[in-house]
Amino acid sequence: MPLLEIHELTQYFGGLCAVSDFSVALESGELVGLIGPNGAGKTTVFNLVSGFYKPTQGKIIFKGSSIAGLKPHEITGRGIARTFQNIRLWNHMTVLENICVSQHYNMGYSLMDALLRTKRYLKQEKRIVTEAMNILEALDLARYADEVPPNLPYGLQRKVEIARALSIKPSLLLLDEPAAGLNSADVKDLISLIQRIHREFDITIWMIEHQMTVVMTLCSRLKVIDFGATIADGTPDEIQNNPDVIKAYLGDDAI
């Protein structure tokens, strides 16, 4: 059984069809890319999978159960984490606090426990901090634990966002344009980081990315959409030579 199955997913915003009959299956352990020109509907697909939108029609099956229409925190609790095209860190919190706060769905204590600082509260808080530090150490970010994100270079902020997503121990990680805004050196580091995460965390990764070097290096297969519809599906070599893909990116004159 695939880890994630999407069948004929369609999303309308008023009279605009943002995604049309989108289908895909991701096996456990895969690293798959979702690409297409700007406005193709890629982030809409991720928003549907992660619960920010309720699909107009279609099925989203994760680990054998439907998640279409569930709220984001419910989907997170089932094992799907994501990052965003625009970094969404809490700038008034430290890096460590950014990682810890992602455990809100799995705190293991009540509001009353927190107010009274019970043994349960203290035990669970210690666990959360320990697990957060383990994630930071695994991604070579422990030295920045007490820094606030605005004090860090942009590339490190990207790593912190990925660390926060990993802290929930997901089975599926959605990366929405992780290389956006990075310079060439940071992109190279990002590729190495994603390869290490994929290998060491034994996780399935589905990523949106515009930088072809990133997806061609990392992904075993690619799905291409344009104007909300799938136009190609295959290996990186097959995709880069596909005339429909070339046309979508470069126009009719490129064919």
Side-chain angles (χ1 to χ4, degrees):
M1 179 183 297
L3 179 69
L4 176 72
E5 297 176 85
I6 298 176
H7 300 284
E8 299 178 349
L9 192 64
T10 297
Q11 180 68 20
Y12 280 93
F13 296 109
L16 173 66
C17 183
V19 177
S20 177
D21 293 327
F22 180 88
S23 298
V24 72
L26 272 63
E27 303 291 339
S28 294
E30 279 198 292
L31 204 169
V32 179
L34 178 61
I35 65 173
N38 286 328
K42 305 180 296 298
T43 296
T44 298
V45 172
F46 273 22
N47 285 338
L48 289 164
V49 172
S50 54
F52 289 90
Y53 299 148
K54 183 177 181 179
T56 305
Q57 64 185 49
K59 297 180 180 179
I60 307 173
I61 310 296
F62 182 65
K63 295 181 179 179
S65 298
S66 173
I67 61 170
L70 294 183
K71 296 178 180 179
H73 72 273
E74 294 173 322
I75 291 174
T76 298
R78 296 197 181 199
I80 297 178
R82 71 169 294 181
T83 64
F84 295 86
Q85 182 177 345
N86 299 313
I87 294 176
R88 298 187 183 182
L89 297 173
W90 288 281
N91 289 331
H92 64 286
M93 295 182 176
T94 66
V95 167
L96 178 60
E97 289 168 341
N98 265 274
I99 307 304
C100 290
V101 78
S102 66
Q103 296 296 314
H104 67 89
Y105 78 100
N106 187 34
M107 292 186 300
Y109 58 80
S110 67
L111 176 60
M112 188 60 66
D113 287 322
L115 292 173
L116 298 177
R117 298 182 65 83
T118 63
K119 289 183 178 180
R120 177 185 298 172
Y121 165 80
L122 295 174
K123 179 180 179 180
Q124 291 300 322
E125 280 294 298
K126 182 178 180 180
R127 173 188 64 81
I128 289 169
V129 171
T130 298
E131 291 181 358
M133 283 303 302
N134 288 341
I135 289 291
L136 292 177
E137 288 171 2
L139 300 190
D140 301 321
L141 292 169
R143 74 189 82 170
Y144 307 110
D146 295 326
E147 293 282 355
V148 291
N151 291 345
L152 301 180
Y154 193 78
L156 286 177
Q157 292 184 45
R158 281 285 181 194
K159 290 180 69 174
V160 171
E161 189 181 36
I162 293 173
R164 185 176 62 185
L166 290 173
S167 70
I168 73 161
K169 301 177 182 178
S171 302
L172 174 62
L173 175 62
L174 307 178
L175 300 176
D176 192 350
E177 295 194 36
L182 301 185
N183 60 40
S184 57
D186 285 338
V187 168
K188 185 176 180 180
D189 289 343
L190 176 72
I191 291 172
S192 297
L193 175 66
I194 294 174
Q195 287 172 329
R196 183 153 63 90
I197 290 170
H198 187 231
R199 179 177 65 251
E200 296 179 5
F201 285 77
D202 189 27
I203 192 172
T204 303
I205 298 176
W206 194 15
M207 65 185 303
I208 295 170
E209 186 51 63
H210 279 292
Q211 295 205 33
M212 289 299 102
T213 300
V214 177
V215 290
M216 293 298 176
T217 301
L218 290 172
C219 299
S220 59
R221 61 187 177 96
L222 301 171
K223 187 107 174 164
V224 190
I225 61 176
D226 189 25
F227 293 108
T230 300
I231 60 171
D233 191 348
T235 66
D237 286 341
E238 292 169 340
I239 293 303
Q240 67 182 353
N241 295 308
N242 186 298
D244 291 330
V245 176
I246 295 171
K247 179 180 177 181
Y249 275 96
L250 302 177
D252 291 327
D253 293 341
I255 304 299

